[in-house]
């Protein structure tokens, strides 16, 4: 599944899970309803959204951008047998992402590293 298709499907799944309409997500995220409609409509109008758009939509859905870009694999709990599963998924997604997706993943990783040092 390419990254734009995964993003589209993940937005749809999370909207359904939370009971959000496109208007609700637009209000929560600060992203226009038209942009959200273009993302989920599969009409090809908005193929690769800006990193800031992905971050805003993720915030509106209450998830981090990595979860939004890779909802399926982060929704499954890592097993005790493989402590590196989440890292493996992140690396796989990073390598498959376009330049905007990589920037989003790096930004989240940097923020997580900073947060971890403060704990």
């Amino acid at each position: 599944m390419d990254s734009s298709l995964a993003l589209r499907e993940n937005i749809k799944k999370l909207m359904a899970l939370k009971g959000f309409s496109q208007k609700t997500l637009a209000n929560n995220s600060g992203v226009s309803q038209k942009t959200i409609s273009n993302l989920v409509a599969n009409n090809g109008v908005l193929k690769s959204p800006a990193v800031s758009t992905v971050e805003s939509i993720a915030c509106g859905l209450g998830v981090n951008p990595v979860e939004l870009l890779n909802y399926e694999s982060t929704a499954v709990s890592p097993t005790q047998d493989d402590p590196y599963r989440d890292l493996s998924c992140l690396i796989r997604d990073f390598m498959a992402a376009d330049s905007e997706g990589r920037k989003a993943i790096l930004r989240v990783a940097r923020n997580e590293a900073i947060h971890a040092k403060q704990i």
Side-chain angles (χ1 to χ4, degrees), residues 36-118:
I36 292 168
S37 176
N38 287 339
L39 274 170
V40 300
N42 195 16
N43 60 11
V45 173
L46 188 60
K47 291 185 180 194
S48 189
V51 171
S52 60
T53 302
V54 174
E55 290 173 335
S56 295
I57 291 172
C59 183
L61 289 166
V63 298
N64 71 48
V66 172
E67 289 174 306
L68 183 58
L69 293 169
N70 187 30
Y71 178 70
E72 289 180 50
S73 64
T74 57
V76 178
S77 302
T79 64
Q80 293 293 340
D81 299 338
D82 187 5
Y84 300 106
R85 182 180 183 283
D86 286 340
L87 182 57
S88 299
C89 292
L90 181 62
I91 291 169
R92 182 199 65 220
D93 293 338
F94 180 81
M95 297 307 291
D98 61 9
S99 64
E100 290 296 311
R102 286 182 179 195
K103 287 178 188 175
I105 291 169
L106 288 172
R107 186 174 296 126
V108 170
R110 226 177 272 122
N111 288 339
E112 290 294 321
I114 290 168
H115 178 72
K117 287 182 181 178
Q118 294 174 351

Side-chain angles (χ1 to χ4, degrees), residues 24-43:
T24 302
L25 180 54
N27 289 337
N28 287 355
S29 66
V31 174
S32 75
Q33 187 173 350
K34 182 175 181 171
T35 298
I36 292 168
S37 176
N38 287 339
L39 274 170
V40 300
N42 195 16
N43 60 11

